[in-house]
Amino acid sequence: MKVRTRSSAIIGALFLAVTLPLTLTTASASASASADGSSAQVVLTEVARAQGPSAGAAGPDGKVWIAERAGTVRILGDYGLGDPVLDISDETTTDGERGLLGVAFDPEFAHFYISYTDLEGTSTIDEFAVADGQLQPDTRRTVLTQEQPYPNHNGGDIKFGPDGYLYIAFGDGGSGGDPHGNGQNLDTLLGKILRIDPTGGEPYAIPSDNPFVAQDGAKDEIWAYGLRNPWRFSFDAGTGDLLIGDVGQSEWEEIDWAPASSKGGENYGWSSMEGNHPFRGGTEPANHVPPVHEYDRSGLGCSVTGGFVYRGEAIADLAGSYVYSDYCDGTLRTLRIEDGAVTEEGDLGVEGGEVISFVEAGDGELYVLAIGGAVSRLDRA
């Protein structure tokens, strides 16, 4: 590990074989509730440029930490991004969908976690102690690893839940169509959301109330399964509900939802199902939990980018709305969800480019990351 500034740009797109042109616009929207289900008037304000921003997290002292896919982490300040506070660029690669894919702080900001693929493509979760808001490099340790059979569908997002445990998203292992059947196989961590206690054991502990603890043929770490590539997921800061943006195969993009009261064990259907639809003649599992929302690729995009339920104070009309996008479309859209059902769909009328991720700041405000380099804040128009 070293600290240095990388000047090389990320080449290629994360989900596509070709790079789409960046079409970032900074524009306001005057959305009509009757027209698109949203009355929020918003603007995207570009606050920084990065080299392939891939993920971010709310850090100590109200700062937002931004990960760059090639392996660096930088802190967002009043005048843009500072020098790297972490550089693992010689330990990862941006081949395929690999790289530095997720970052997270524990609730006390005592530890910082990174999720990346190493030079062999193995998904790796590492931990650093944090003191006085600064990483302690000598404390670095590996918490969990998972071999990846292909360079795509790595997942890689990590978040701490309201329960204080670390949740980890892994895709089905890649290729296409889940050739190894990992989505429905409980004997692998691939195609799953995991739940672990990273500081409760060595290298980690498994919460005793995980849904598959002590079940023969099932990995104890699993919280939910039947996922293709849960690229971005989040917890609603207001309710604790879990929302997952799961990238589809060829026809349907889906957003999955679980209430804060969930005991885990949800089967979201892949690869028997793609959204609400049987995949390649598959049969719907008896315990299938259908998505709370899906959309057809023919109209809106090709790769859902899950976001957050807005709990900030700057945009009152947006409060309680789930904000998400699509990597190939870039439009910011919203859902209102009540008791596990979508009651309202909206279009914020702003386009963020190739939206790769959202970041929720400590004050609940949202930032939008475009793989072409833009770090933008969602503001009231």
Side-chain angles (χ1 to χ4, degrees):
M1 181 188 68
K2 55 189 177 300
V3 175
R4 58 183 174 89
T5 301
R6 289 186 56 86
S7 59
S8 58
I10 291 177
I11 300 174
L14 188 59
F15 297 107
L16 302 179
V18 297
T19 301
L20 299 179
L22 178 65
T23 55
L24 179 71
T25 58
T26 302
S28 63
S30 183
S32 166
S34 61
D36 59 21
S38 174
S39 60
Q41 297 179 328
V42 302
V43 61
L44 272 179
T45 305
E46 185 172 311
V47 295
R49 299 291 298 184
Q51 294 288 335
S54 56
D61 302 320
K63 299 293 186 180
V64 172
W65 292 41
I66 301 293
E68 295 171 312
R69 187 177 159 216
T72 49
V73 178
R74 303 163 71 188
I75 299 175
L76 182 62
D78 294 336
Y79 302 99
L81 293 169
D83 293 334
V85 296
L86 179 67
D87 186 346
I88 62 162
S89 57
D90 58 355
E91 301 176 46
T92 188
T93 172
T94 58
D95 293 345
E97 295 174 8
R98 296 168 172 167
L100 177 55
L101 304 177
V103 292
F105 284 92
D106 65 18
E108 292 78 31
F109 301 111
H111 298 92
F112 180 66
Y113 295 85
I114 60 175
S115 171
Y116 68 99
T117 50
D118 70 13
L119 295 176
E120 286 72 46
T122 297
S123 290
T124 306
I125 311 297
D126 280 0
E127 174 196 89
F128 296 83
V130 179
D132 297 324
Q134 297 186 0
L135 297 186
Q136 306 300 301
D138 293 342
T139 66
R140 182 180 180 180
R141 71 182 185 96
T142 295
V143 176
L144 182 146
T145 61
Q146 171 61 50
E147 293 184 1
Q148 296 282 353
Y150 304 101
N152 60 333
H153 303 182
N154 299 148
D157 203 7
I158 51 176
K159 296 282 191 304
F160 276 86
D163 53 14
Y165 293 128
L166 180 63
Y167 290 72
I168 302 166
F170 284 146
D172 64 8
S175 187
D178 194 10
H180 302 291
N182 290 325
Q184 292 296 305
N185 182 6
L186 293 175
D187 194 29
T188 176
L189 302 183
L190 296 173
K192 313 296 189 298
I193 298 286
L194 314 181
R195 178 183 184 242
I196 65 170
D197 179 357
T199 58
E202 183 58 44
Y204 59 88
I206 296 171
S208 60
D209 59 347
N210 270 11
F212 300 106
V213 167
Q215 176 174 318
D216 290 341
K219 296 290 188 182
D220 294 346
E221 294 91 341
I222 296 172
W223 179 255
Y225 67 108
L227 294 159
R228 181 178 178 272
N229 191 22
W231 169 244
R232 289 293 174 245
F233 71 94
S234 65
F235 292 94
D236 182 344
T239 66
D241 297 343
L242 171 65
L243 291 123
I244 307 165
D246 194 18
V247 179
Q249 173 72 32
S250 56
E251 296 185 27
W252 298 95
E253 300 298 307
E254 71 179 83
I255 294 169
D256 299 305
W257 175 90
S261 60
S262 169
K263 302 301 182 183
E266 287 86 359
N267 178 6
Y268 294 112
W270 178 256
S271 57
S272 298
M273 305 290 290
E274 185 181 10
N276 287 305
H277 313 272
F279 178 72
R280 294 181 180 174
T283 300
E284 183 175 15
N287 63 342
H288 176 222
V289 177
V292 71
H293 181 67
E294 65 174 16
Y295 61 90
D296 187 340
R297 279 189 171 192
S298 65
L300 294 181
C302 76
S303 179
V304 64
T305 301
F308 290 85
V309 175
Y310 180 75
R311 297 295 180 185
E313 297 182 355
I315 314 170
D317 290 336
L318 198 59
S321 291
Y322 178 69
V323 182
Y324 69 103
S325 188
D326 186 287
Y327 178 78
C328 301
D329 172 75
T331 301
L332 269 57
R333 294 184 169 87
T334 62
L335 302 173
R336 286 197 178 268
I337 301 171
E338 296 181 9
D339 298 324
V342 172
T343 60
E344 190 177 275
E345 299 181 34
D347 181 338
L348 291 178
V350 292
E351 199 264 13
E354 296 164 315
V355 177
I356 201 74
S357 193
F358 291 81
V359 185
E360 183 180 46
D363 59 3
E365 302 304 328
L366 297 184
Y367 291 79
V368 181
L369 308 184
I371 196 63
V375 178
S376 302
R377 186 179 59 240
L378 189 62
D379 290 334
R380 180 167 59 89

